[in-house]
Amino acid sequence: MDKFIVEASLFNKRLDEVLSISGAYNSRTSAQKALKKGLVLVNGKAETAHYKVKEGDEISYEDLPLEKSQLEAEQIPLDVVYEDEDVLLINKPQGLVVHPGNGHHSGTLANAILGYSKELANPESERPGLVHRIDKDTSGLILSAKNEEAFAFLSAQLKDHTMHREYYALVKGIIYEDDGKIDAPIGRNPREPLKNMVDVEHGKESITYFHVEKRYKISDCTLISCRLLTGRTHQIRVHMDYIGHPVIGDPLYGRDNRKIYKNGQLLHAYRLTFIHPTSKKEVSFSCPLPDYFTSVLDELK
């Protein structure tokens, strides 16, 4: 079971609301389902959704089991980078939502994958075969497993940090160090549920390495490459904002960072390295920066 401690700002809120705000579940509805299934304990005891939490309560929770979804296959073009009997690797365009939720019930990458192939792990879930995810306005590589054995093998690499994900990001300001490491725990922002934040006391371990690729001093921004050791939601976006260099175009994090680009964060997952489920050998795939990103860089030159 995962655990977290209720902080003062959440005092006297309903338990289902707190479970949603904390990120334990993606909605109050999911939290209520988990409570009914006995997957949540408060100080070691089962409570109802109406329970009003107290500062210092220890909340333990387990993931909801996958339910049969109403996800429909859709014929949406995919940029397939690599495919074999175990894995499907896709270059996701900016603007495409990965899986249904938050008002997106169709037209997602999950719908497209289901329309592309029936050979997928967890084909009846909302996330057929998807080993990980990237944000709607982040472009780049995303991995899907085509059978249950491959899914389990790849998911284990994600958890033990042997799968390496690398990104390019254009950030505000000039970073003078050539290389850096950001080691700062990340948790849900209790005041703004759509955002995460660095939370030293209650956040989960989050580590990002970055390397400066190019400095654009006249435009006051820096192109960096990043490698994630952990994979928290919005990790690069939160960490770069935390050190005062928010990602250019990011609508959630940072201030005055949308003058150069306003259509979402300039963040691209360009390389993915993992151990192949069958060969047990390390493989690495990459995809170039998309046109929308390179056109911004060309203007900066």
Side-chain angles (χ1 to χ4, degrees):
M1 277 189 155
D2 289 319
K3 299 178 181 180
F4 67 92
I5 303 297
V6 173
E7 55 191 50
S9 61
L10 298 175
F11 173 73
N12 215 34
K13 290 185 180 294
R14 283 171 51 116
L15 178 56
D16 58 348
E17 182 183 3
V18 170
L19 288 166
S20 174
I21 291 174
S22 69
Y25 301 102
N26 59 17
S27 67
R28 287 178 69 170
T29 300
S30 295
Q32 290 162 7
K33 288 180 181 179
L35 286 161
K36 289 179 180 178
K37 290 179 179 291
L39 300 176
V40 179
L41 298 176
V42 180
N43 301 321
K45 295 171 53 181
E47 299 286 356
T48 67
H50 300 279
Y51 172 81
K52 298 297 182 68
V53 303
K54 304 176 183 64
E55 182 181 2
D57 276 350
E58 181 183 81
I59 299 179
S60 307
Y61 62 94
E62 295 183 50
D63 291 339
L64 272 170
L66 291 172
E67 298 179 359
K68 186 173 182 178
S69 77
Q70 302 301 313
L71 187 70
E72 295 184 1
E74 296 181 38
Q75 299 304 311
I76 300 171
L78 290 175
D79 181 3
V80 177
V81 175
Y82 176 80
E83 181 182 9
D84 61 26
E85 61 184 12
D86 292 308
V87 301
L88 175 64
L89 191 61
I90 296 161
N91 181 14
K92 186 189 84 68
Q94 185 189 50
L96 181 63
V97 176
V98 171
H99 55 74
N102 298 323
H104 299 280
H105 302 296
S106 62
T108 71
L109 179 64
N111 295 102
I113 289 175
L114 202 59
Y116 178 82
S117 175
K118 299 300 181 184
E119 296 179 1
L120 296 165
N122 307 315
E124 295 184 341
S125 78
E126 295 285 352
R127 307 180 185 187
L130 291 167
V131 177
H132 61 109
R133 63 180 294 276
I134 54 179
D135 298 327
K136 168 179 172 284
D137 287 326
T138 298
S139 57
L141 295 173
I142 190 163
L143 183 62
S144 183
K146 297 179 69 176
N147 55 68
E148 306 298 334
E149 294 78 11
F151 183 83
F153 187 81
L154 294 166
S155 296
Q157 293 179 58
L158 195 65
K159 289 182 179 179
D160 67 15
H161 312 317
T162 53
M163 179 182 292
H164 300 302
R165 289 168 293 162
E166 298 174 72
Y167 295 73
Y168 284 123
L170 186 67
V171 302
K172 181 183 176 185
I174 302 301
I175 299 177
Y176 291 97
E177 304 87 350
D178 290 336
D179 297 277
K181 174 185 177 182
I182 307 170
D183 185 350
I186 290 176
R188 185 75 68 177
N189 187 328
R191 295 175 184 81
E192 299 179 77
L194 293 179
K195 297 175 68 174
N196 283 343
M197 61 184 286
V198 168
D199 184 346
V200 175
E201 188 174 357
H202 303 304
K204 294 182 178 180
E205 179 188 34
S206 306
I207 298 174
T208 303
Y209 295 94
F210 67 84
H211 172 75
V212 170
E213 299 288 339
K214 189 169 184 177
R215 298 177 179 91
Y216 297 89
K217 293 188 176 181
I218 294 177
S219 302
D220 191 37
C221 53
T222 305
L223 178 66
I224 61 173
S225 55
C226 299
R227 180 169 68 84
L228 298 181
L229 184 62
T230 53
R232 308 303 174 202
T233 301
H234 301 170
Q235 180 170 317
I236 293 173
R237 299 164 65 186
V238 172
H239 270 173
M240 297 314 299
D241 183 38
Y242 177 66
I243 66 169
H245 297 284
V247 179
I248 296 294
D250 194 325
L252 281 180
Y253 302 97
R255 296 180 179 179
D256 302 322
N257 62 330
R258 304 187 71 193
K259 295 178 181 178
I260 294 174
Y261 188 78
K262 299 180 180 180
N263 297 322
Q265 62 273 4
L266 286 171
L267 186 61
H268 175 69
Y270 78 95
R271 181 179 293 143
L272 186 64
T273 304
F274 56 93
I275 307 299
H276 191 277
T278 298
S279 70
K280 302 298 188 292
K281 293 182 179 179
E282 184 177 83
V283 292
S284 185
F285 299 92
S286 61
C287 60
L289 283 172
D291 291 342
Y292 77 90
F293 205 135
T294 56
S295 64
V296 173
L297 297 181
D298 288 342
E299 290 179 11
L300 296 180
K301 292 179 182 178

